Amino acid sequence: MIDEAKDKIFDASKSINDIANELGFKYQQHFARLFKQKTGMIPNEYRSMN
C-alpha cells in the first residue's frame, strides 16, 4: 500500500487527501501518520523531496 501511495504522490493533480481516499482511508490524517511511520516523512515532504 505504501509503494502505491509513493507512486500516486507524484501525480501533482491529486491532493494528499484524494490519494488517501483512493487508498481507502477515511481520514487523511490516518494516511499521513501511517506514511510517516513507514517512510520517515509526511506525504508533502516526500512529494517535494522527489
Side-chain angles (χ1 to χ4, degrees):
M1 182 184 298
I2 294 299
D3 289 334
E4 187 176 348
K6 287 178 180 180
D7 291 338
K8 290 178 182 279
I9 281 176
F10 295 123
D11 183 354
S13 67
K14 293 182 181 177
S15 70
I16 301 301
N17 194 40
D18 292 338
I19 295 166
N21 287 336
E22 285 180 18
L23 294 173
F25 288 89
K26 188 172 181 179
Y27 301 107
Q28 183 259 327
Q29 295 89 342
H30 294 165
F31 166 68
R33 188 179 308 131
L34 177 66
F35 193 89
K36 185 169 183 175
Q37 281 180 334
K38 300 297 182 185
T39 65
M41 54 186 106
I42 62 172
N44 283 328
E45 288 174 335
Y46 188 84
R47 179 180 267 176
S48 65
M49 184 176 158
N50 294 304

